[in-house]
Amino acid sequence: MARILITEDEDSLRHFVARALRLDGHETVEAADGAEGLEALGDGSFDLLLSDIRMPVMDGIELAHKASANHPDLKILLMTGYAEQRERADDLMEKIVDVVSKPFSLPDIRTAVARALTTQKAA
């Protein structure tokens, strides 16, 4: 299965998503903000970055740009509960797989992750 980095500043949501993905057989690593996520990316190899857009320290947009530059084969899936944040991700569309809207159900996020892992990144 896949190794997934989950970057989300809301602890309960981050733990909920990580637990669900582990039930699907994935290995998860958790980070509470973008800076922590970027550090984790440097410490290991990941198949997918699942990141909230709106976070303190470094937001998901900046994290996605840096992650894509440093790890061009990394698949990136963003999450947001804010429509304007989703629009901010438009310039990333060639670097990310999709943006998942919050709130989402457990089946929604599991399906989005499964789809992201099987999607080919744009060249």
Side-chain angles (χ1 to χ4, degrees):
M1 298 308 292
R3 188 158 191 253
I4 301 170
L5 174 60
I6 303 165
T7 307
E8 164 64 59
D9 61 318
E10 189 179 322
D11 292 342
S12 60
L13 180 59
R14 186 177 66 249
H15 299 320
F16 171 76
V17 170
R19 187 172 54 246
L21 296 178
R22 284 193 304 270
L23 287 173
D24 285 344
H26 301 296
E27 179 185 345
T28 62
V29 174
E30 300 176 40
D33 60 54
E36 221 178 270
L38 190 61
E39 185 177 321
L41 282 171
D43 292 341
S45 175
F46 292 91
D47 300 296
L48 177 70
L49 167 62
L50 176 60
S51 179
D52 189 16
I53 291 178
R54 193 169 184 168
M55 296 181 293
V57 184
M58 179 190 301
D59 71 13
I61 301 288
E62 185 178 353
L63 174 59
H65 279 294
K66 290 182 176 187
S68 180
N70 296 332
H71 308 277
D73 294 329
L74 178 67
K75 294 179 180 181
I76 303 170
L77 181 62
L78 298 177
M79 308 175 281
T80 189
Y82 302 90
E84 74 276 5
Q85 297 298 322
R86 187 181 182 98
E87 291 169 8
R88 283 186 56 221
D90 283 349
D91 71 322
L92 281 168
M93 293 319 280
E94 71 280 356
K95 297 176 183 175
I96 66 172
V97 177
D98 199 5
V99 179
V100 178
S101 295
K102 293 182 194 175
F104 47 74
S105 68
L106 191 56
D108 291 341
I109 195 64
R110 291 166 91 179
T111 298
V113 165
R115 190 177 315 117
L117 289 168
T118 59
T119 300
Q120 294 296 321
K121 278 190 72 170

